[in-house]
Amino acid sequence: MKTRVAWLDSKHSFSFGEHYDPDNTHHGLLLVNNEDIVSPGQGFDTHPHRDMEIVTWVLSGSLVHQDSLGHSGVVYPGLAQRMSAGTGILHSEKNDSWRLAADRGGTGEHTEPVHFVQMWVVPDEPGLTPGYQQLEIDEELAGGGLVTVASGLPRYRDRTAIAIASSHSALHAARMAVPGRARSVELPEAPYLHLFVARGEVEMEGVGTLYEGDAVRLTRSGGQRIVANLPSEVLVWEMHARLGGQ
């Protein structure tokens, strides 16, 4: 499913907005996996969310976040970012390429699109206090293995970059086949897994070749090896419950 307007090219793994398919609403606790490309100088104006854990992962360019609770930040590749909508929050997301242009000695004009993946998972309970968190993890990604980006799972408490209020979910990321980094990772075992190839091309054991933008949903699985054929970036949701119960 796709949404394409003058300033936005968006691909949806699940039902989103006007694209509704009753047979494709979620996997495990993951409700949204949107791959967005936003044109220079454009973005999402202020809009509301509630009762959702929202994780944003930038692949290229930069995205500026501002919300009604006074949180603000610039999200760029290698920065983990989470917004807990809870009882309700308003926020905007804009292409921040002017900042990059200015940093490089340019005029400060909007010059680059921003390419990112936004993912929503269900929190443990409704009505939580809204919140925001971001953390630089580029150094941790340098090894090429799976890095735990966001998690509520107790097993990852000591190695999680940012916390989410979903005690059955964890998001992992890996950059593979970059010079000096590992070419393969092994998927964790879980009742529900969602693998998204954000960049590059990989081979998945038992499945075959996956290309940029491909996603795989697995149940009662794990242990499969993912091997990168070229520089690649993958996002893996590990989930131990599903919407509506275990």
Side-chain angles (χ1 to χ4, degrees):
M1 293 178 285
K2 297 181 180 181
T3 296
R4 183 169 291 179
V5 294
W7 58 272
L8 172 68
D9 184 359
S10 184
K11 299 174 184 176
H12 318 296
S13 294
F14 304 99
S15 294
F16 189 81
E18 64 184 25
H19 305 288
Y20 181 71
D21 178 353
D23 296 322
N24 184 32
T25 58
H26 68 284
H27 181 65
L29 295 169
L30 182 64
L31 273 69
V32 168
N33 187 89
N34 286 350
E35 180 186 6
D36 294 337
I37 299 176
V38 175
S39 296
Q42 302 293 324
F44 299 93
D45 290 328
T46 301
H47 58 282
H49 290 289
R50 67 181 302 120
D51 292 328
M52 201 64 60
E53 296 293 287
I54 300 173
V55 179
T56 301
W57 187 253
V58 173
L59 299 166
S60 63
S62 59
L63 188 72
V64 63
H65 163 97
Q66 294 180 312
D67 65 46
S68 55
L69 296 181
H71 305 118
S72 63
V74 178
V75 192
Y76 49 84
L79 187 89
Q81 189 245 42
R82 174 268 299 167
M83 185 182 75
S84 297
T87 53
I89 196 168
L90 300 169
H91 82 136
S92 63
E93 295 164 303
K94 302 282 187 175
N95 185 324
D96 194 46
S97 64
W98 69 269
R99 194 180 304 263
L100 293 179
D103 288 346
R104 293 168 184 164
T107 62
E109 297 176 352
H110 297 274
T111 58
E112 298 182 18
V114 58
H115 183 191
F116 63 98
V117 183
Q118 189 166 94
M119 299 151 283
W120 301 4
V121 291
V122 180
D124 290 337
E125 56 184 292
L128 299 173
T129 301
Y132 179 87
Q133 187 182 9
Q134 65 179 48
L135 183 69
E136 167 70 60
I137 59 170
D138 205 58
E139 193 171 306
E140 287 81 355
L141 291 163
L146 279 180
V147 174
T148 306
V149 175
S151 176
L153 284 166
R155 73 183 69 181
Y156 298 121
R157 186 172 290 119
D158 297 332
R159 57 186 252 203
T160 299
I162 54 176
I164 53 175
S166 179
S167 59
H168 299 288
S169 306
L171 170 65
H172 312 283
R175 292 176 180 167
M176 301 179 290
V178 177
R181 301 180 186 180
R183 287 190 62 240
S184 67
V185 296
E186 185 177 301
L187 295 179
E189 293 188 6
Y192 304 94
L193 288 174
H194 183 274
L195 167 71
F196 180 69
V197 182
R199 283 194 291 204
E201 176 186 306
V202 302
E203 298 290 332
M204 180 175 177
E205 184 179 351
V207 174
T209 305
L210 299 174
Y211 301 95
E212 188 167 296
D214 284 347
V216 178
R217 305 173 196 182
L218 303 167
T219 55
R220 302 195 180 281
S221 189
Q224 297 95 332
R225 186 151 293 278
I226 307 298
V227 180
N229 294 330
L230 46 89
S232 301
E233 191 161 342
V234 297
L235 298 170
V236 180
W237 277 98
E238 171 189 350
M239 296 165 287
H240 294 262
R242 64 179 174 84
L243 191 63
Q246 297 288 340

